[in-house]
Amino acid sequence: MATAVAMVAAAGGLTALTGTATAAGEPVTVQYRTSASGTTADQAEPWFKVKNSGSAAVQLSDVKVRYYFKADAGSSGYRFACSWAVKGCANITGTFGMLAHPTATADRYLEIGFTSGAGSLAPGADTGDMQLRFYRADWQTLTQSDDYSFGASQTSYANWTKVTAQLAGSTVWGTAPEGNDPTDPPTDPPTDPPTGGQSLFDDFTYTTSSDPRISANGWNVRSNSGGPGVPGATWAPENVTFSSSGGNSVMNLRTSTSGTGESTKQTEVLTKAMKFKNGTYAARVRFADAPVSGPDGDHLVQTFFTINDLKAPMADDYSEYDFEYLPNGGWGEPSNILYTTSWETYNPDPWQAVNQHTESRQSYAGWHDLVLTIDNSTIKYYIDGRLFGTHDAAYLPERGMSINFNQWLIDFGGLSSSTARSYDEQVDYVLHIKDQVLTPAQVAAKINAYRTAGVNFEDTVPGS
């Protein structure tokens, strides 16, 4: 799992090791202990304290800690949880990623981050206990003996050189497994988009949901019944509107309710063709924590995703790749959480899911650049230029998919009220490049090129 510290305590001080960072004078150090010291266990329990060892205050939202480990054979993914933390579990995030250069003891990492609610550390202060854990998605026993960052004898807190810490993007503590310094995205990522490539781009310069150009350009504004969402809800095309924001045209999806299925109007916009598979998907999306009007608290889902149809329960050619933001929690989560999920298949009744997901428990209110890349071996999710999650080849798509945006209500468990309220999700643009994996910087350059040339729409992706 996470990377290691570049210094070890020695008689009379700290001695630098070869690796990412030297400890003397660095602003952050990390202490580690394990509560699950067995080489096999139901779950790994890496507990941390982050200390400000410098002379200036440190904003915890600028700190990332990585713990490195080797995936167990046959694992369908991992789940992160926070059992207890002095700073509050709601202020701690945990995401998983895959290493670019796997070693004998590490091919993945758990990255621990902090929301703005965690505050700052004064010089000499530490976070106190962060009692963290992670486990296999299938709840099978995991092996820790071959994990880079695991220390079976570390049953009390001490400086640990096998996890890394970054401060404002720079590694200041620890040594990663060889060839895996935590610099994703790369320090100098390429910005020139590759030439060629069949593309879909839409700047959403439409007038109303009934604008004939929407259908002509291959989109469907949903009006037919069916899930997801609360029973009795309808999909309302009139709640999809278009306006200007920051000089760009923006698509707005509004979902409204008065606390009953019959009063609930949800929104969805999707491509009519299921012709999109490998390559790069990108969208700039504005998530919202608060309603436009009325009381707050509904279990809402705001999305950008690709999907095809499930032809039969547990069909192996099903595919779906999701960005899903729950501003008020839901699905057992008490507050805001963002999921990225890669699906292999599922059975709707009785419910059985085969997927891999990464989550982050913090607010994502505001505009975000979302990028999904799929090649022949890996699925990667980026948020605002930073790698958010990497998923396994077992979840690669077998056939084409549609591109979708929707906003819907899971249930009324978050808010019991008959007062009318409405929520907005906004979309600035969408982009797909067939069979080419672009960096987030290349995506930004591609969007700028379209806008500089005055192109509002292009679709050269062939039909499936």
Side-chain angles (χ1 to χ4, degrees):
M1 302 206 160
T3 52
V5 194
M7 333 239 89
V8 292
L14 290 170
T15 302
L17 302 176
T18 58
T20 301
T22 59
E26 294 298 344
V28 168
T29 57
V30 181
Q31 294 187 330
Y32 158 82
R33 63 159 292 190
T34 179
S35 183
S37 57
T39 55
T40 59
D42 290 337
Q43 57 188 358
E45 295 187 77
W47 294 9
F48 297 113
K49 290 182 181 178
V50 176
K51 182 178 180 180
N52 181 352
S53 52
S55 58
V58 168
Q59 292 293 326
L60 281 171
S61 59
D62 290 335
V63 175
K64 301 287 186 183
V65 175
R66 284 190 180 182
Y67 177 96
Y68 298 86
F69 65 104
K70 188 172 181 64
D72 298 281
S75 171
S76 59
Y78 293 85
R79 304 290 184 262
F80 166 78
C82 173
S83 298
W84 185 82
V86 172
K87 289 291 184 179
C89 283
N91 294 316
I92 297 173
T93 65
T95 58
F96 294 98
M98 297 183 71
L99 296 181
H101 305 286
T103 71
T105 59
D107 55 14
R108 304 196 188 198
Y109 60 83
L110 167 65
E111 183 172 272
I112 303 302
F114 301 88
T115 71
S116 58
S120 62
L121 293 178
D126 65 48
T127 58
D129 262 345
M130 293 189 290
Q131 299 181 9
L132 312 178
R133 57 190 173 91
F134 65 93
Y135 53 91
R136 286 178 54 156
D138 55 13
W139 273 109
Q140 298 299 305
T141 299
L142 53 79
T143 301
Q144 301 190 94
S145 56
D146 59 353
D147 290 347
Y148 178 87
S149 296
F150 174 66
S153 62
Q154 293 299 118
T155 55
S156 59
Y157 280 113
N159 286 352
W160 190 239
T161 62
K162 302 191 83 172
V163 297
T164 52
Q166 289 179 279
L167 180 61
S170 298
T171 303
V172 296
W173 174 258
T175 304
E178 184 176 0
N180 291 283
D181 289 349
T183 56
D184 193 11
T187 303
D188 296 302
T191 56
D192 292 333
T195 57
Q198 296 157 317
S199 306
L200 167 71
F201 170 72
D202 203 329
D203 216 13
F204 297 113
T205 54
Y206 304 113
T207 53
T208 68
S209 61
S210 58
D211 188 327
R213 293 176 300 160
I214 295 177
S215 180
N217 288 346
W219 295 100
N220 175 37
V221 182
R222 184 176 176 181
S223 60
N224 60 296
S225 61
V230 295
T234 57
W235 298 89
E238 68 274 13
N239 278 15
V240 176
T241 58
F242 301 89
S243 61
S244 179
S245 176
N248 296 320
S249 179
V250 169
M251 178 171 68
N252 192 83
L253 285 75
R254 175 163 294 183
T255 294
S256 58
T257 186
S258 296
T260 65
E262 292 71 21
S263 68
T264 301
K265 293 184 177 182
Q266 303 176 147
T267 42
E268 181 168 14
V269 175
L270 65 156
T271 61
K272 291 184 283 187
M274 290 194 292
K275 61 179 183 178
F276 307 98
K277 192 180 175 187
N278 286 14
T280 300
Y281 299 82
R284 182 165 174 81
V285 178
R286 184 180 184 274
F287 298 126
D289 281 350
V292 179
S293 60
D296 191 12
D298 285 299
H299 288 161
L300 188 73
V301 185
Q302 301 174 335
T303 75
F304 165 46
F305 64 106
T306 69
I307 193 172
N308 58 31
D309 54 327
L310 182 74
K311 293 184 177 296
M314 304 301 288
D316 61 5
D317 63 349
Y318 176 75
S319 302
E320 180 180 347
Y321 305 94
D322 302 330
F323 289 90
E324 294 176 305
Y325 181 53
L326 283 60
N328 295 311
W331 295 328
E333 291 291 333
S335 58
N336 38 31
I337 185 169
L338 188 144
Y339 291 102
T340 58
T341 308
S342 301
W343 289 80
E344 171 61 18
T345 190
Y346 71 95
N347 184 0
D349 188 20
W351 178 251
Q352 182 180 358
V354 181
N355 62 38
Q356 184 176 0
H357 81 263
T358 304
E359 73 274 354
S360 178
R361 293 169 174 82
Q362 67 178 77
S363 172
Y364 281 88
W367 285 105
H368 296 283
D369 294 305
L370 311 179
V371 175
L372 161 69
T373 64
I374 303 173
D375 59 21
N376 290 322
S377 62
T378 307
I379 304 148
K380 292 186 177 183
Y381 296 85
Y382 296 84
I383 298 179
D384 297 330
R386 185 175 182 82
L387 183 64
F388 183 85
T390 303
H391 295 172
D392 301 342
Y395 303 93
L396 292 172
E398 285 85 7
R399 57 189 174 93
M401 301 171 287
S402 62
I403 297 175
N404 302 49
F405 300 90
N406 69 12
Q407 185 178 217
W408 53 280
L409 290 179
I410 300 171
D411 54 41
F412 294 116
L415 178 62
S416 177
S417 173
S418 60
T419 302
R421 59 267 191 189
S422 59
Y423 303 83
D424 284 355
E425 174 189 357
Q426 295 181 321
V427 184
D428 183 11
Y429 66 80
V430 67
L431 172 72
H432 171 69
I433 308 294
K434 177 179 169 62
D435 295 332
Q436 290 185 351
V437 171
L438 274 63
T439 67
Q442 289 175 319
V443 168
K446 188 77 171 175
I447 300 303
N448 289 338
Y450 276 123
R451 287 178 165 168
T452 299
V455 175
N456 295 322
F457 176 80
E458 175 182 82
D459 186 3
T460 59
V461 179
S464 56

